[in-house]
Amino acid sequence: MLPHKHIELKLQAAVRAVLPDADVSAVLVRPCPDPKFGDYQSNALMSLAKVRKLNPRQLASETLAKLVVSDVCEKVEIAGAGFLNFRLKPSALAQSLESAARGEHLFFVKSASPKTAVIDFSSPNVAKPMHVGHIRSTILGDCLARTLRLLGHRVVTDNHIGDWGTQFGMLLLGWKRFWVDNQKVPSDIETLVEIYKSVQAEIKNQLAQFVEPRGTLKPVSDTENQSRMELVKLQSGDAENLKIWHEMIALSQNQFDTIYARLGVKFDHALGESFYNPRLKPLVDELLAKNIARESEGAIAVFFEDNPHLKEHPTLVRKSDGGFNYTTTDLATLAYRLETWKPDEIIYVTDGRQQLHFQQLFATFAKWKAQLPSASSHLPKLAHVWFGSILGEDGKPFKTRSGETVKLADLLDEAEERAFKIVSDKSPELAETQRREIARVVGLGAVKYADLLPNRQSDYVFSWDKMLALQGNTAPYLQYAYARIRSIFRKSETWNKEHRTKNIELKAPEEIALAKHLLNFGLALEAVAAEYRPNFLCNYLFELAGKFTSFYENCPVLKAEEATRVSRLVLCDLTARVLKQGLDVLGIEVVEQM
Ligand code: ARG
């Protein structure tokens, strides 16, 4: 068992002995922010003392009297208002590293109580090119899925593709015109986008002809009318329109699949919005019957009078023309997921502009849930994991030079191209195919890492130079650190896998610091999973690479005498494995040589 887990369990037992009624699940042991005070710390006693109006230092010393951790720690210290500080014994540290070297663990443990999580991410809209904005949801969602899986949870990923909605009226109209003009169907996504844009522009033009004022009714143009008719036909099951709709979906799916394959992202399901069509009407009927929704000006809406934040923001579940809304589909989706996968948690990854939508969705679900027979149903935690925008270096939304949104495929091409130049400058001696492969791994890695590193809720500035730099907190820096360690092993004639069973000796301060940091890999993973924040892992890995560098600069490896050499090689090997595993969780590959 990892020392901090061992300390945590012992501490929980000691707290239970002193306060038999306390909920010890919040009694946690975390890395000390300042190594001056120790390796691990717990502040749990202070909050326990506070709610009980006890003296925290008094509680700390009573707990300490019941705490036996001398097998892994030096003397435990009470600090400040009632912190407990723990310092690991070198023997405990070495033992953890030795068991990792033997392959028994890699500094993380699978969850003792695995949960089922559904992750709804990427979810682009059909018949529109995937653009740079979709990358955040795709990469963030994929990373959360990988993290939870590694920690032993059951994960169901579902790509909630926008394959239904008003845009299809315009697309159908445009498709039919294209056929008349060209005697062939559109064969790529770009043509589909053109079609869509031209119908949209036509409507805009026609609307501009209307002279104000025209009363309270919103004017409708001819083209708009025709589009609506196409949509109604599609919705009522018209064979021709359904066929075209399927073709449009297939075209988009092609594009999506190519991008996902490049990014190494897979989904367990891709149940688009259209999948839920048959469920929408019964759902609204149920909401009405349960008094969760009511009629309002011809439409059906859910009101949140008792919620100060949403009081002014009712949500529609049926429009006055009988059409259904985004929320309706999401409610049906939620119900389907509950029935099908019985999740403990559903995670939605979208941009921050959808916050109100998800607040409304979750509040509606809360009303609904209040009416479910609680014993018979499994009710999950719902989380909206939202993110900010990607900005250009001018601080405005990231666009191409001509002001268009950046297509994801072009962006990935450029990343690989730029990485290829860098690799070719640095290692011209490598064969071109090898440089191309390195460039692919480094280019994609750079883009992904730049996306995962910032606090997800802030906007970030997209900068090629920054993300591809070999220095600083970047993917190439971490990939390079990995490749550098691998090169040590290429140079080491004496190393073989049996050395992984040898004793580890930790003497130099840089060696000890590196070893201690390795121990906390699992804590970083758990923090990512608990707060849906991959940046915790990015920073952990960056620090790891930094600690490795100071170790490597101060502690000779290959030139050291046998026992020290082997011990240090094991430390190198473990660092490489953690770097590789950590990057893998971020969806980033490594290469043996750069
Ligand atoms: N298709 C939507 C969009 O591109 C995102 C869907 C997110 N998932 C959901 N269940 N609403 O904006």
Side-chain angles (χ1 to χ4, degrees), residues 122-422:
S122 195
S123 309
N125 295 326
V126 162
K128 294 195 185 152
M130 272 181 98
H131 60 78
V132 64
H134 289 112
I135 204 175
R136 293 206 86 175
S137 174
T138 310
I139 287 171
L140 204 53
D142 183 51
C143 171
L144 296 178
R146 287 167 183 261
T147 309
L148 289 169
R149 282 198 175 119
L150 189 67
L151 292 174
H153 300 290
R154 172 179 174 238
V155 174
V156 179
T157 52
D158 187 11
N159 192 353
H160 190 72
I161 294 178
D163 60 359
W164 200 252
T166 41
Q167 82 262 34
F168 285 101
M170 286 184 255
L171 281 163
L172 282 162
L173 184 67
W175 183 287
K176 289 181 180 178
R177 288 185 183 167
F178 186 89
W179 168 252
V180 171
D181 294 345
N182 301 285
Q183 291 301 305
K184 60 170 192 196
V185 298
S187 57
D188 53 40
I189 192 85
E190 281 73 29
T191 318
L192 216 54
V193 175
E194 285 312 312
I195 287 174
Y196 182 71
K197 280 194 191 154
S198 76
V199 177
Q200 222 179 10
E202 196 175 295
I203 293 177
K204 215 172 147 203
N205 263 335
Q206 291 171 2
L207 289 177
Q209 314 286 319
F210 284 113
V211 194
E212 303 280 344
R214 287 186 53 93
T216 51
L217 279 182
K218 200 172 148 260
V220 177
S221 82
D222 277 354
T223 309
E224 204 175 2
N225 242 332
Q226 287 170 22
S227 302
R228 271 193 198 170
M229 270 149 54
E230 294 294 351
L231 186 67
V232 170
K233 270 168 76 183
L234 173 70
Q235 287 170 340
S236 53
D238 173 83
E240 186 193 4
N241 280 12
L242 270 175
K243 184 169 167 279
I244 299 177
W245 174 72
H246 277 296
E247 285 177 49
M248 294 197 261
I249 291 186
L251 272 188
S252 291
Q253 196 58 54
N254 252 333
Q255 179 217 194
F256 297 159
D257 288 346
T258 319
I259 299 250
Y260 292 140
R262 268 182 100 169
L263 291 175
V265 174
K266 292 195 190 89
F267 295 92
D268 301 317
H269 304 276
L271 300 174
E273 293 180 14
S274 66
F275 175 79
Y276 301 96
N277 280 343
R279 296 170 167 257
L280 303 182
K281 187 184 173 302
L283 180 114
V284 174
D285 291 344
E286 184 187 337
L287 293 178
L288 282 169
K290 290 192 166 151
N291 281 322
I292 294 169
R294 64 168 194 259
E295 213 207 293
S296 165
E297 298 170 32
I300 311 283
V302 178
F303 290 85
F304 310 99
E305 279 101 350
D306 44 359
N307 180 327
H309 177 62
L310 293 176
K311 206 154 69 190
E312 311 287 319
H313 303 284
T315 182
L316 287 188
V317 290
R318 194 165 80 201
K319 296 181 222 169
S320 51
D321 67 5
F324 298 103
N325 303 70
Y326 188 43
T327 306
T328 331
T329 309
D330 254 330
L331 281 167
T333 308
L334 187 44
Y336 176 84
R337 288 172 176 164
L338 293 189
E339 285 160 36
T340 314
W341 300 307
K342 307 201 169 27
D344 302 293
E345 187 171 13
I346 305 181
I347 301 166
Y348 299 85
V349 189
T350 82
D351 73 51
R353 286 169 301 183
Q354 298 202 25
Q355 282 180 79
L356 178 62
H357 165 72
F358 283 103
Q359 285 158 6
Q360 292 169 326
L361 178 69
F362 297 173
T364 308
F365 177 68
K367 287 177 189 267
W368 194 13
K369 162 169 113 166
Q371 297 201 17
L372 291 173
S374 57
S376 66
S377 53
H378 195 83
L379 300 170
K381 168 182 172 196
L382 304 178
H384 181 211
V385 172
W386 59 271
F387 50 83
S389 327
I390 305 182
L391 306 177
E393 300 202 60
D394 56 359
K396 301 207 180 96
F398 187 48
K399 293 269 161 68
T400 61
R401 248 182 238 143
S402 55
E404 305 265 321
T405 45
V406 179
K407 283 189 212 136
L408 207 42
D410 297 346
L411 184 93
L412 301 182
D413 289 345
E414 184 164 353
E416 290 185 23
E417 221 25 75
R418 285 177 181 255
F420 182 69
K421 282 209 189 78
I422 297 174

Side-chain angles (χ1 to χ4, degrees), residues 544-565:
L544 179 63
K547 291 201 187 318
F548 179 80
T549 305
S550 24
F551 155 75
Y552 198 60
E553 280 166 3
N554 291 289
C555 309
V557 177
L558 295 177
K559 294 210 177 82
E561 48 86 28
E562 168 79 7
T564 309
R565 180 173 65 241

Side-chain angles (χ1 to χ4, degrees), residues 63 109 141 192 271 359 378 389 410 415 528 566 569-570 583:
T63 308
V109 278
L192 216 54
L271 300 174
Q359 285 158 6
H378 195 83
S389 327
D410 297 346
V528 172
V566 170
L569 279 170
V570 173
L583 285 168

